[in-house]
């Protein structure tokens, strides 16, 4: 019995290691301090990219995370993320890259922001590449604090991807930003982002976007577009 328990434990450890290959540590890379790693998923890259983008869109209406750019053909999403930690407030550029069933994350240009609430947007900041954790205990705690909250964000991304499936009918149209009847509402979000307003009645829905564009769906499938 002990033998089987030990074998099961080894299998579980191997699975966890395969799922996430990272140490959640800020490291020195040239003149910059970064935090990077990757997570293994057992879904195709198209679905992985779509789910990662839908996570980003779900966060975009919060001031904490703004999508800077995305490229579906390259499998890349770039965000500006901000969060409040225990030691300071932090801002960083987050790049998500999808390749070979892996989601690679890269935090760069990390800053500690002074002030709290809205003040952190206008107060001073300290670049992480200027910190000296080997000499300054406050700097060491600040880096550890950032690692904690950045790790929490990565785990949230992973949990979202595991829990959400995106309805894809024509990925090539999503890549080129071409909307047409028959596409799913998920694909509309991937092309245009989150709608300004969404109204639903029974199986029908109406999505409103900028420039008074109305997209009508039935059972989650686009039936007409009014511009």
């Amino acid at each position: 019995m002990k033998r089987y328990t030990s074998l099961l434990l080894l299998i579980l450890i191997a699975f966890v290691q395969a799922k996430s290959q990272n140490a959640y540590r800020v490291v020195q890379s040239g003149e910059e301090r970064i935090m990077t790693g990757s997570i293994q998923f057992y879904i195709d890259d198209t679905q992985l990219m779509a789910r990662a983008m839908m996570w980003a869109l779900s966060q975009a209406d919060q001031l904490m995370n703004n999508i800077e750019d995305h490229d579906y053909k390259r499998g890349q999403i770039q965000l500006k993320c901000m969060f409040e930690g225990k030691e300071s407030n932090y801002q960083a550029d987050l790049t998500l890259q999808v390749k070979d069933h892996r989601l690679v994350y890269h935090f760069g240009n990390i800053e500690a922001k002074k002030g709290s609430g809205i003040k952190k947007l206008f107060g001073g900041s300290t670049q992480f590449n200027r910190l000296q954790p080997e000499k300054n205990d406050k700097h060491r705690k600040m880096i550890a604090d950032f690692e904690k909250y950045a790790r929490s964000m990565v785990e949230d991304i992973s949990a979202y991807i595991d829990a959400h499936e995106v309805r894809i009918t024509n990925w090539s149209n999503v890549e080129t930003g071409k909307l047409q009847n028959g596409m799913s509402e998920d694909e509309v979000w991937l092309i245009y982002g989150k709608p300004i307003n969404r109204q639903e009645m029974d199986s029908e829905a109406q999505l409103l976007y900028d420039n008074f564009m109305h997209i009508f769906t039935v059972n989650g499938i686009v039936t007409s577009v009014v511009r």
Side-chain angles (χ1 to χ4, degrees):
M1 183 66 180
K2 291 183 177 179
R3 177 182 297 178
Y4 290 114
T5 302
S6 298
L7 180 60
L8 182 60
L9 182 59
L10 288 173
I11 293 173
L12 180 60
I13 292 173
F15 175 79
V16 172
Q17 289 177 338
K19 175 72 175 176
S20 180
Q21 293 187 358
N22 54 69
Y24 297 112
R25 291 289 182 266
V26 172
V27 298
Q28 192 74 33
S29 176
E31 297 182 355
E32 185 182 13
R33 280 195 168 90
I34 64 170
M35 178 173 156
T36 188
S38 66
I39 307 172
Q40 175 78 52
F41 291 93
Y42 299 95
I43 54 178
D44 64 65
D45 284 356
T46 296
Q47 185 67 215
L48 178 53
M49 179 64 187
R51 295 187 195 188
M53 187 62 182
M54 291 297 275
W55 170 84
L57 289 170
S58 74
Q59 302 293 309
D61 59 349
Q62 303 177 24
L63 187 60
M64 309 297 281
N65 300 288
N66 295 313
I67 301 172
E68 299 280 288
D69 195 13
H70 68 276
D71 188 328
Y72 289 129
K73 291 185 178 180
R74 294 178 58 194
Q76 190 175 91
I77 306 168
Q78 294 178 321
L79 304 99
K80 178 74 72 176
C81 58
M82 304 174 70
F83 42 85
E84 296 184 6
K86 181 180 179 181
E87 300 294 328
S88 183
N89 302 306
Y90 306 101
Q91 176 177 293
D93 295 331
L94 171 59
T95 300
L96 301 176
Q97 180 78 50
V98 172
K99 188 175 182 181
D100 299 331
H101 310 289
R102 284 194 171 279
L103 181 69
V104 179
Y105 62 87
H106 178 99
F107 290 92
N109 195 26
I110 307 170
E111 300 179 20
K113 307 287 288 185
K114 296 180 181 179
S116 60
I118 195 66
K119 291 181 180 179
K120 70 185 174 205
L121 296 177
F122 304 101
S125 63
T126 301
Q127 290 281 347
F128 261 38
N129 59 5
R130 297 176 60 187
L131 300 182
Q132 297 180 313
E134 65 283 351
K135 298 180 180 180
N136 189 313
D137 188 57
K138 183 179 180 180
H139 291 180
R140 180 185 61 79
K141 290 181 179 179
M142 192 179 293
I143 290 176
D145 192 42
F146 173 84
E147 291 171 342
K148 175 184 176 182
Y149 287 94
R151 173 177 182 169
S152 178
M153 177 178 286
V154 172
E155 290 174 345
D156 286 346
I157 298 172
S158 179
Y160 183 98
I161 290 173
D162 281 334
H164 293 77
E165 184 172 358
V166 179
R167 192 174 182 181
I168 297 174
T169 61
N170 192 329
W171 185 249
S172 62
N173 278 16
V174 173
E175 288 184 330
T176 57
K178 181 181 179 182
L179 178 66
Q180 64 181 31
N181 290 349
M183 297 183 74
S184 71
E185 188 171 328
D186 286 344
E187 290 171 316
V188 175
W189 279 53
L190 291 171
I191 294 174
Y192 293 110
K194 187 176 181 178
I196 297 173
N197 187 36
R198 183 182 186 277
Q199 297 179 348
E200 184 175 1
M201 180 177 292
D202 297 327
S203 61
E204 300 182 1
Q206 179 183 167
L207 285 68
L208 173 63
Y209 284 92
D210 289 334
N211 300 321
F212 302 102
M213 180 174 68
H214 296 259
I215 300 174
F216 298 88
T217 68
V218 176
N219 294 319
I221 299 297
V222 176
T223 55
S224 62
V225 180
V226 178
R227 302 177 186 273

